[in-house]
Amino acid sequence: MNAAAFFSIIAGVAILNVVTFYIFKRFLLGKSEAAMKFLVVNIFKDLVWIVASILILEKTKLHFFLLVLLFIISSLAIYFPVIRRINKS
């Protein structure tokens, strides 16, 4: 496994999560149907990330399972703060 490619994928998902959370906090929070708008932005972010990841990594079962694991962890990392902020508003 190419460690540089794997770390770039991790950095990519982290940067995309930060940008998505900023967009949510700055432009969507407090507006009508903020959660649904966030889901649209987040799904687009996930599609961009997964396509880029598949293009970078070799197509093996190990890489697929690592991408799935990263997807689950990154989703949990962004959904919990977003849900907390929506519940407070």
Side-chain angles (χ1 to χ4, degrees):
M1 176 185 333
N2 188 355
F6 190 67
F7 286 122
S8 67
I9 289 171
I10 292 173
V13 76
I15 291 168
L16 287 172
N17 272 349
V18 168
V19 169
T20 303
F21 187 73
Y22 176 77
I23 290 171
F24 167 74
K25 197 167 82 171
R26 177 87 169 136
F27 300 108
L28 301 177
L29 189 61
K31 303 226 169 121
S32 66
E33 298 183 11
M36 294 304 289
K37 292 175 184 175
F38 168 75
L39 286 175
V40 169
V41 171
N42 196 46
I43 288 172
F44 179 71
K45 181 251 330 171
D46 289 336
L47 287 173
V48 168
W49 175 74
I50 199 69
V51 167
S53 299
I54 288 172
L55 292 175
I56 291 172
L57 288 177
E58 301 168 6
K59 281 95 178 146
T60 64
K61 285 183 183 181
L62 175 65
H63 292 150
F64 174 74
F65 288 125
L66 287 174
L67 284 177
V68 169
L69 182 66
L70 277 174
F71 176 77
I72 291 170
I73 291 170
S74 70
S75 293
L76 292 175
I78 196 167
Y79 280 124
F80 283 136
V82 167
I83 290 170
R84 264 192 250 130
R85 290 202 183 244
I86 288 174
N87 285 337
K88 285 183 183 178
S89 65

